[in-house]
Amino acid sequence: MSLLIGDNLVVTMHYKLTDDEGKILDSSEESKPLSYLHGAGNIIPGLEKALIGKVAGDSLQVKIEPAEGYGEIRPELIQKVKREAFKGVDTVEEGMVFEAKTPDGSQQQIIVKGVEGDQVTIDANHPLAGMALNFDIDIIGVREATAEEVTHGHVH
Ligand code: ZN
Protein backbone atom coordinates (compact mmCIF):
# COMPACT_ATOMS: atom_id res chain seq x y z
CA MET A 1 0.00 0.00 0.00
CA SER A 2 1.31 3.43 -0.88
CA LEU A 3 0.14 6.64 0.69
CA LEU A 4 -1.35 8.99 -1.90
CA ILE A 5 -0.07 12.54 -1.43
CA GLY A 6 -2.68 14.70 0.25
CA ASP A 7 -3.21 16.95 3.25
CA ASN A 8 -1.30 16.32 6.47
CA LEU A 9 1.30 14.09 4.87
CA VAL A 10 5.02 14.81 4.82
CA VAL A 11 6.50 14.50 1.33
CA THR A 12 10.24 14.13 0.70
CA MET A 13 11.51 14.77 -2.80
CA HIS A 14 14.40 15.72 -4.97
CA TYR A 15 13.71 18.55 -7.37
CA LYS A 16 15.32 20.46 -10.16
CA LEU A 17 13.98 23.84 -11.19
CA THR A 18 14.76 25.29 -14.61
CA ASP A 19 13.56 28.34 -16.51
CA ASP A 20 12.16 28.19 -20.04
CA GLU A 21 15.68 28.34 -21.50
CA GLY A 22 16.71 25.25 -19.52
CA LYS A 23 18.91 27.16 -17.07
CA ILE A 24 18.98 25.52 -13.64
CA LEU A 25 17.63 27.95 -11.03
CA ASP A 26 17.59 25.63 -8.06
CA SER A 27 18.17 21.98 -7.35
CA SER A 28 18.21 19.65 -4.37
CA GLU A 29 20.67 17.29 -6.06
CA GLU A 30 23.76 18.57 -4.27
CA SER A 31 22.03 18.96 -0.93
CA LYS A 32 19.45 17.10 1.09
CA PRO A 33 16.11 16.28 -0.47
CA LEU A 34 13.31 18.69 0.40
CA SER A 35 10.64 17.65 2.92
CA TYR A 36 7.42 19.64 3.23
CA LEU A 37 4.03 19.33 4.89
CA HIS A 38 1.35 18.95 2.23
CA GLY A 39 -1.65 21.29 2.46
CA ALA A 40 0.10 23.86 4.65
CA GLY A 41 1.29 26.27 1.96
CA ASN A 42 4.95 25.29 2.49
CA ILE A 43 5.58 25.19 -1.27
CA ILE A 44 4.12 27.12 -4.21
CA PRO A 45 0.45 26.34 -4.99
CA GLY A 46 1.06 24.95 -8.48
CA LEU A 47 3.58 22.42 -7.26
CA GLU A 48 1.41 21.37 -4.34
CA LYS A 49 -1.50 20.77 -6.75
CA ALA A 50 0.65 18.75 -9.16
CA LEU A 51 1.74 16.41 -6.37
CA ILE A 52 -1.74 15.46 -5.14
CA GLY A 53 -2.41 11.73 -5.60
CA LYS A 54 1.22 10.86 -6.41
CA VAL A 55 3.12 8.23 -4.41
CA ALA A 56 6.70 7.57 -3.32
CA GLY A 57 8.74 6.44 -6.31
CA ASP A 58 6.82 8.62 -8.78
CA SER A 59 8.65 11.11 -10.97
CA LEU A 60 6.98 14.03 -12.65
CA GLN A 61 7.70 17.06 -14.76
CA VAL A 62 5.49 20.06 -14.32
CA LYS A 63 5.45 23.59 -15.70
CA ILE A 64 4.03 26.19 -13.36
CA GLU A 65 2.91 29.61 -14.55
CA PRO A 66 3.63 32.69 -12.40
CA ALA A 67 0.06 32.91 -11.04
CA GLU A 68 0.55 29.49 -9.42
CA GLY A 69 4.20 30.14 -8.62
CA TYR A 70 5.73 33.28 -7.14
CA GLY A 71 3.18 35.61 -8.72
CA GLU A 72 3.45 38.24 -11.42
CA ILE A 73 5.97 41.06 -11.17
CA ARG A 74 4.36 43.91 -9.21
CA PRO A 75 5.56 47.26 -10.59
CA GLU A 76 4.82 48.99 -7.25
CA LEU A 77 7.59 46.89 -5.66
CA ILE A 78 10.16 48.54 -7.95
CA GLN A 79 11.05 51.86 -6.36
CA LYS A 80 13.61 54.61 -6.29
CA VAL A 81 15.17 55.35 -2.91
CA LYS A 82 17.90 57.72 -1.80
CA ARG A 83 21.47 56.47 -1.60
CA GLU A 84 21.56 57.33 2.12
CA ALA A 85 18.99 54.57 2.81
CA PHE A 86 21.94 52.15 2.55
CA LYS A 87 23.66 53.02 5.80
CA GLY A 88 27.09 51.56 6.33
CA VAL A 89 27.40 50.32 2.76
CA ASP A 90 30.38 51.84 0.94
CA THR A 91 29.43 50.89 -2.59
CA VAL A 92 25.92 50.28 -3.88
CA GLU A 93 25.92 48.61 -7.28
CA GLU A 94 23.50 47.03 -9.69
CA GLY A 95 22.88 43.38 -8.87
CA MET A 96 23.56 43.66 -5.14
CA VAL A 97 21.06 41.89 -2.90
CA PHE A 98 20.01 43.21 0.50
CA GLU A 99 17.77 41.90 3.23
CA ALA A 100 15.22 44.36 4.48
CA LYS A 101 12.58 44.14 7.21
CA THR A 102 9.01 44.67 6.12
CA PRO A 103 6.55 46.57 8.37
CA ASP A 104 5.19 43.22 9.63
CA GLY A 105 8.71 42.19 10.69
CA SER A 106 9.41 39.53 8.09
CA GLN A 107 12.56 39.49 5.94
CA GLN A 108 12.44 40.50 2.33
CA GLN A 109 15.07 40.38 -0.39
CA ILE A 110 15.76 43.60 -2.22
CA ILE A 111 17.73 43.62 -5.46
CA VAL A 112 19.48 46.76 -6.68
CA LYS A 113 18.36 47.35 -10.28
CA GLY A 114 20.34 50.47 -10.96
CA VAL A 115 22.17 53.43 -9.46
CA GLU A 116 21.96 56.95 -10.85
CA GLY A 117 23.68 59.61 -8.81
CA ASP A 118 21.88 59.79 -5.48
CA GLN A 119 19.01 57.58 -6.66
CA VAL A 120 18.98 53.82 -6.27
CA THR A 121 16.33 51.71 -8.00
CA ILE A 122 15.40 48.70 -5.93
CA ASP A 123 13.19 45.72 -6.70
CA ALA A 124 11.45 43.84 -3.89
CA ASN A 125 9.73 41.30 -6.12
CA HIS A 126 10.58 37.66 -5.47
CA PRO A 127 13.50 36.77 -7.79
CA LEU A 128 11.28 34.11 -9.42
CA ALA A 129 8.21 36.36 -9.81
CA GLY A 130 6.89 36.60 -13.35
CA MET A 131 8.64 33.41 -14.44
CA ALA A 132 7.31 30.09 -15.65
CA LEU A 133 8.93 27.39 -13.51
CA ASN A 134 9.78 23.94 -14.82
CA PHE A 135 10.14 21.33 -12.12
CA ASP A 136 11.60 17.84 -12.37
CA ILE A 137 10.47 15.96 -9.30
CA ASP A 138 11.43 12.58 -7.86
CA ILE A 139 9.28 11.64 -4.89
CA ILE A 140 11.36 9.76 -2.38
CA GLY A 141 9.04 9.32 0.56
CA VAL A 142 5.55 10.00 1.86
CA ARG A 143 4.61 9.61 5.51
CA GLU A 144 1.92 10.76 7.90
CA ALA A 145 2.72 13.98 9.70
CA THR A 146 2.83 13.98 13.49
CA ALA A 147 0.11 15.88 15.33
CA GLU A 148 2.70 18.46 16.30
CA GLU A 149 3.81 19.00 12.71
CA VAL A 150 0.19 19.51 11.64
CA THR A 151 -0.34 22.03 14.48
CA HIS A 152 2.82 23.93 13.58
CA GLY A 153 2.20 23.79 9.84
CA HIS A 154 5.71 22.58 8.98
CA VAL A 155 7.95 19.53 9.04
CA HIS A 156 10.13 18.80 12.08
ZN1 ZN B 1 7.37 23.41 14.64
Side-chain angles (χ1 to χ4, degrees), residues 41-76:
N42 292 173
I43 60 173
I44 55 173
L47 191 52
E48 198 159 45
K49 260 185 222 168
L51 286 160
I52 292 171
K54 304 287 190 230
V55 297
D58 280 355
S59 294
L60 63 147
Q61 290 188 314
V62 57
K63 183 189 182 85
I64 295 166
E65 298 299 333
E68 295 272 271
Y70 291 95
E72 302 292 348
I73 290 173
R74 291 162 56 196
E76 71 271 24

Coordinates of all heavy atoms in Angstrom, one line a residue, residues 41-76:
G41 N 0.7 25.1 2.7 CA 1.3 26.3 2.0 C 2.8 26.4 2.1 O 3.4 27.5 2.0
N42 N 3.5 25.3 2.4 CA 4.9 25.3 2.5 C 5.6 25.5 1.1 O 6.8 26.0 1.1 CB 5.5 24.0 3.1 CG 5.1 23.7 4.5 OD1 5.3 22.7 5.1 ND2 4.5 24.7 5.2
I43 N 5.0 25.1 0.1 CA 5.6 25.2 -1.3 C 4.6 25.9 -2.1 O 3.4 26.1 -1.7 CB 5.9 23.8 -1.9 CG1 4.7 22.9 -2.0 CG2 7.0 23.1 -1.0 CD1 4.9 21.6 -2.8
I44 N 5.0 26.3 -3.3 CA 4.1 27.1 -4.2 C 2.9 26.3 -4.6 O 2.9 25.1 -4.7 CB 4.8 27.6 -5.5 CG1 5.5 26.5 -6.2 CG2 5.9 28.7 -5.1 CD1 6.1 26.9 -7.6
P45 N 1.7 27.0 -4.8 CA 0.5 26.3 -5.0 C 0.5 25.4 -6.2 O -0.1 24.3 -6.1 CB -0.5 27.5 -5.2 CG 0.1 28.7 -4.7 CD 1.6 28.5 -4.7
G46 N 1.1 25.8 -7.3 CA 1.1 25.0 -8.5 C 1.8 23.6 -8.3 O 1.3 22.6 -8.8
L47 N 2.8 23.6 -7.5 CA 3.6 22.4 -7.3 C 2.8 21.5 -6.3 O 2.7 20.3 -6.5 CB 5.0 22.8 -6.7 CG 6.0 21.6 -6.6 CD1 6.1 20.9 -7.9 CD2 7.3 22.2 -6.1
E48 N 2.2 22.1 -5.3 CA 1.4 21.4 -4.3 C 0.3 20.6 -5.1 O 0.0 19.5 -4.9 CB 0.9 22.3 -3.3 CG 0.4 21.6 -2.0 CD 0.3 22.5 -0.8 OE1 -0.2 23.7 -0.9 OE2 0.8 22.1 0.3
K49 N -0.4 21.4 -6.0 CA -1.5 20.8 -6.7 C -1.0 19.6 -7.6 O -1.7 18.6 -7.7 CB -2.1 21.8 -7.7 CG -3.4 22.4 -7.1 CD -4.0 23.4 -8.2 CE -4.5 24.6 -7.5 NZ -4.8 25.7 -8.4
A50 N 0.1 19.8 -8.2 CA 0.7 18.8 -9.2 C 1.0 17.5 -8.4 O 1.0 16.4 -9.0 CB 1.9 19.3 -9.9
L51 N 1.3 17.6 -7.1 CA 1.7 16.4 -6.4 C 0.6 15.6 -5.8 O 0.8 14.5 -5.3 CB 2.7 16.9 -5.3 CG 4.1 17.3 -5.8 CD1 4.8 18.1 -4.8 CD2 4.9 16.0 -6.1
I52 N -0.6 16.2 -5.8 CA -1.7 15.5 -5.1 C -2.0 14.1 -5.8 O -2.0 14.0 -7.1 CB -3.0 16.3 -5.2 CG1 -2.9 17.6 -4.3 CG2 -4.3 15.5 -4.8 CD1 -4.0 18.6 -4.5
G53 N -2.1 13.1 -5.1 CA -2.4 11.7 -5.6 C -1.2 11.0 -6.1 O -1.3 9.8 -6.4
K54 N 0.0 11.6 -6.0 CA 1.2 10.9 -6.4 C 1.7 10.0 -5.2 O 1.3 10.2 -4.1 CB 2.3 11.8 -6.8 CG 1.9 12.8 -7.9 CD 1.9 12.0 -9.3 CE 1.7 13.0 -10.4 NZ 0.7 12.7 -11.3
V55 N 2.6 9.1 -5.5 CA 3.1 8.2 -4.4 C 4.7 8.2 -4.4 O 5.3 8.6 -5.4 CB 2.6 6.8 -4.6 CG1 1.1 6.7 -4.4 CG2 3.1 6.2 -5.9
A56 N 5.2 7.7 -3.4 CA 6.7 7.6 -3.3 C 7.2 6.7 -4.5 O 6.5 5.7 -4.8 CB 7.1 6.9 -2.0
G57 N 8.2 7.2 -5.1 CA 8.7 6.4 -6.3 C 8.3 7.1 -7.6 O 8.9 6.9 -8.7
D58 N 7.3 7.9 -7.6 CA 6.8 8.6 -8.8 C 7.8 9.7 -9.2 O 8.4 10.3 -8.3 CB 5.4 9.3 -8.6 CG 4.3 8.3 -8.7 OD1 4.6 7.1 -9.0 OD2 3.1 8.7 -8.4
S59 N 7.9 10.0 -10.5 CA 8.6 11.1 -11.0 C 7.7 11.9 -11.8 O 6.8 11.4 -12.5 CB 9.8 10.7 -11.8 OG 10.8 10.0 -11.1
L60 N 7.8 13.2 -11.8 CA 7.0 14.0 -12.7 C 7.7 15.3 -13.1 O 8.7 15.7 -12.5 CB 5.6 14.4 -12.0 CG 5.7 15.2 -10.7 CD1 4.4 16.1 -10.7 CD2 5.7 14.3 -9.5
Q61 N 7.2 15.8 -14.2 CA 7.7 17.1 -14.8 C 6.5 18.0 -14.8 O 5.4 17.6 -15.3 CB 8.3 16.9 -16.2 CG 9.6 16.1 -16.2 CD 10.2 16.1 -17.5 OE1 9.6 15.8 -18.5 NE2 11.5 16.4 -17.6
V62 N 6.6 19.2 -14.3 CA 5.5 20.1 -14.3 C 6.0 21.5 -14.6 O 7.0 21.9 -14.1 CB 4.7 19.9 -13.0 CG1 5.6 20.2 -11.8 CG2 3.5 20.8 -13.0
K63 N 5.2 22.2 -15.4 CA 5.5 23.6 -15.7 C 4.4 24.4 -15.0 O 3.2 24.2 -15.1 CB 5.3 23.8 -17.2 CG 5.7 25.2 -17.6 CD 5.3 25.4 -19.1 CE 5.7 26.8 -19.6 NZ 7.1 26.9 -20.0
I64 N 4.9 25.4 -14.2 CA 4.0 26.2 -13.4 C 4.1 27.6 -13.8 O 5.2 28.2 -13.9 CB 4.4 26.0 -11.9 CG1 4.1 24.5 -11.5 CG2 3.6 27.0 -11.0 CD1 4.7 24.1 -10.2
E65 N 3.0 28.2 -14.1 CA 2.9 29.6 -14.6 C 3.0 30.5 -13.3 O 2.7 30.1 -12.2 CB 1.6 29.9 -15.3 CG 1.4 29.0 -16.6 CD 2.5 29.3 -17.6 OE1 3.1 30.4 -17.6 OE2 2.8 28.4 -18.4
P66 N 3.4 31.8 -13.5 CA 3.6 32.7 -12.4 C 2.5 32.8 -11.4 O 2.7 32.8 -10.2 CB 3.9 34.0 -13.1 CG 4.4 33.7 -14.4 CD 3.8 32.4 -14.8
A67 N 1.2 32.8 -11.9 CA 0.1 32.9 -11.0 C 0.0 31.8 -10.0 O -0.5 32.0 -8.9 CB -1.2 32.9 -11.8
E68 N 0.5 30.6 -10.3 CA 0.6 29.5 -9.4 C 1.9 29.3 -8.8 O 2.2 28.3 -8.1 CB 0.1 28.2 -10.2 CG -1.3 28.2 -10.7 CD -2.2 27.7 -9.7 OE1 -2.4 26.4 -9.6 OE2 -2.7 28.5 -8.9
G69 N 2.8 30.2 -9.1 CA 4.2 30.1 -8.6 C 4.5 31.3 -7.7 O 3.8 31.4 -6.6
Y70 N 5.4 32.2 -8.0 CA 5.7 33.3 -7.1 C 5.0 34.6 -7.5 O 5.4 35.7 -7.1 CB 7.2 33.5 -7.1 CG 7.9 32.3 -6.4 CD1 8.4 31.3 -7.1 CD2 8.0 32.3 -5.0 CE1 9.0 30.2 -6.5 CE2 8.6 31.2 -4.4 CZ 9.1 30.2 -5.1 OH 9.7 29.1 -4.5
G71 N 4.0 34.4 -8.4 CA 3.2 35.6 -8.7 C 3.8 36.4 -9.9 O 4.9 36.1 -10.3
E72 N 3.0 37.3 -10.4 CA 3.4 38.2 -11.4 C 4.4 39.3 -10.8 O 4.3 39.5 -9.6 CB 2.2 38.9 -12.1 CG 1.2 38.0 -12.7 CD 1.8 37.2 -13.9 OE1 2.8 37.5 -14.4 OE2 1.1 36.2 -14.3
I73 N 5.1 39.9 -11.6 CA 6.0 41.1 -11.2 C 5.0 42.2 -10.8 O 4.2 42.6 -11.6 CB 7.0 41.5 -12.2 CG1 8.1 40.3 -12.3 CG2 7.7 42.8 -11.9 CD1 9.0 40.5 -13.4
R74 N 5.2 42.8 -9.6 CA 4.4 43.9 -9.2 C 5.2 45.2 -9.4 O 6.1 45.4 -8.6 CB 3.9 43.7 -7.8 CG 2.9 42.5 -7.7 CD 2.7 42.1 -6.3 NE 2.3 43.1 -5.3 CZ 2.4 43.0 -4.0 NH1 2.9 41.9 -3.5 NH2 2.0 44.0 -3.3
P75 N 4.8 46.0 -10.3 CA 5.6 47.3 -10.6 C 5.7 48.1 -9.3 O 6.7 48.8 -9.2 CB 4.7 48.0 -11.7 CG 3.8 47.0 -12.2 CD 3.6 45.9 -11.2
E76 N 4.7 48.1 -8.4 CA 4.8 49.0 -7.3 C 5.9 48.6 -6.3 O 6.3 49.3 -5.4 CB 3.5 49.1 -6.5 CG 3.0 47.8 -5.8 CD 2.2 46.8 -6.7 OE1 2.4 46.9 -7.9 OE2 1.5 46.0 -6.1

